[in-house]
Amino acid sequence: MIRLEKVSKVFPGGTRPAVDTLDLEVAGGQTCVLIGPSGCGKTTTMRIVNRLIEPSAGRIIVEGKDVTGADPVQLRRRIGYVIQQVGLFPHMTIGQNVATVPHLLGWDDARTARRVEEMLVLVGLEPGQFIHRYPRHLSGGQRQRVGVARALAADPPVLLMDEPFGAVDPIVRTSLQSELLAILRRLRKTVIFVTHDIDEAIRMGDLVAIMKDGRLVQCDPPEGLLSAPKDSFVADFVGADRALKRLALTTAAEAATQATPGDKAPSVAPATSLRDVLSLLLASGADVANVVKDDGTPIGTVSLATIRERAARPG
């Protein structure tokens, strides 16, 4: 769906390329997270995809078409774009903001209105409550939801996200990550996501691409990255707590064993990560947690022994 071939970018006066002969391929429906130290070229790489930054060399392939020389305005209308500061138009209502690209594409008013309501519902904002408000009336998390709704309004196959949750507090950030993951899994968009947070990268990415000095050092699924770092730079970057990060990739339901629920054992939801189960067990002093559905149906249990085994298992 997205392929960069030998892409480079040299800015005037630069002592080295900002992006240096980079090859990257993201399959349709995948989320690829770009991460690395400040100045590594991750944001430049992402902006090359929709030609907000023109490459100095190489080719950009989107949906099988070489768009390196395409009309950049038309290209951007086919690619959703979400940034950290959202960039909502302050003089326009929430509904008008979400309708921006459909209007540019010539959609009629009835189709646009339906789509605006669908998108607001999708991101958890009740249309009757929010559609006529202005951005200044919304919290940071709500504005970020509107930014996602606007980016998805014209149903683009590709979505670019530049540190979209960097400006919200940690609790809201975790909630928005969960909601975005659910949306992306349902819609199967192809996403390039830039972050500086390795935990966010591991949680959000089907692929995690670590960059350094404009070059791609390693690009792997999160499990592969954590279990087999390519070199010392990658190992240091992902952190010494790689085993704990791997636990965040497995849910309680996936690790549960069939055992009699304990009367005094804490309960967790099926989607709870093993990392969070471990935290709960350590805090409560328990050795096992019950895994229970929302309706109270027990699935099984997760023990400290199971978590230790999972953490030690080779990738």
Side-chain angles (χ1 to χ4, degrees), residues 4 13-15 26 37 59 83 97 191 212 233 269-270 280 288 299:
L4 302 181
T15 57
V26 185
R59 294 205 309 160
I83 61 175
N97 267 281
V191 183
K212 178 185 179 185
F233 169 78
L280 174 64
V288 65
I299 293 177

Side-chain angles (χ1 to χ4, degrees), residues 66-278:
D66 186 344
V67 299
T68 314
D71 180 348
V73 174
Q74 295 300 320
L75 173 66
R76 288 169 203 150
R77 290 178 183 175
R78 295 167 42 212
I79 297 177
Y81 189 42
V82 184
I83 61 175
Q84 179 174 328
Q85 299 300 331
V86 186
L88 299 180
F89 300 115
H91 61 287
M92 294 168 60
T93 65
I94 300 309
Q96 290 169 336
N97 267 281
V98 177
T100 300
V101 177
H103 278 319
L104 291 173
L105 294 175
W107 292 18
D108 63 57
D109 289 344
R111 181 186 179 191
T112 299
R114 287 194 303 269
R115 186 62 174 174
V116 168
E117 292 199 5
E118 289 172 4
M119 290 298 96
L120 290 179
V121 170
L122 182 70
V123 299
L125 298 175
E126 171 57 42
Q129 183 179 354
F130 289 96
I131 200 166
H132 297 300
R133 291 190 184 184
Y134 287 86
R136 63 181 179 274
H137 299 143
L138 273 57
S139 68
Q142 289 169 337
R143 287 195 295 271
Q144 202 64 60
R145 292 168 191 259
V146 175
V148 172
R150 183 175 64 180
L152 292 171
D155 197 23
V158 173
L159 188 63
L160 306 180
M161 309 193 79
D162 189 2
E163 303 212 38
F165 308 135
V168 296
D169 67 72
I171 294 176
V172 173
R173 181 174 187 152
T174 299
S175 174
L176 289 174
Q177 288 170 351
S178 298
E179 291 169 11
L180 180 63
L181 273 173
I183 290 170
L184 295 180
R185 285 170 180 162
R186 185 157 69 251
L187 299 182
R188 300 299 298 164
K189 299 296 182 185
T190 306
V191 183
I192 291 183
F193 187 113
V194 168
T195 184
H196 66 275
D197 184 331
I198 187 63
D199 290 317
E200 182 170 75
I202 289 167
R203 185 179 191 194
M204 299 300 298
D206 299 304
L207 293 172
V208 178
I210 296 187
M211 298 183 65
K212 178 185 179 185
D213 296 333
R215 290 182 172 270
L216 188 62
V217 181
Q218 183 170 354
C219 183
D220 272 315
E223 176 68 26
L225 189 76
L226 294 173
S227 61
K230 183 177 179 179
D231 58 23
S232 59
F233 169 78
V234 176
D236 290 343
F237 192 85
V238 299
D241 60 341
R242 295 199 302 276
L244 285 176
K245 289 184 170 71
R246 288 180 64 198
L247 291 177
L249 303 176
T250 304
T251 66
E254 292 168 339
T257 58
Q258 296 300 317
T260 303
D263 292 337
K264 296 183 179 180
S267 296
V268 297
T272 306
S273 74
L274 287 190
R275 185 174 182 172
D276 289 341
V277 176
L278 176 62

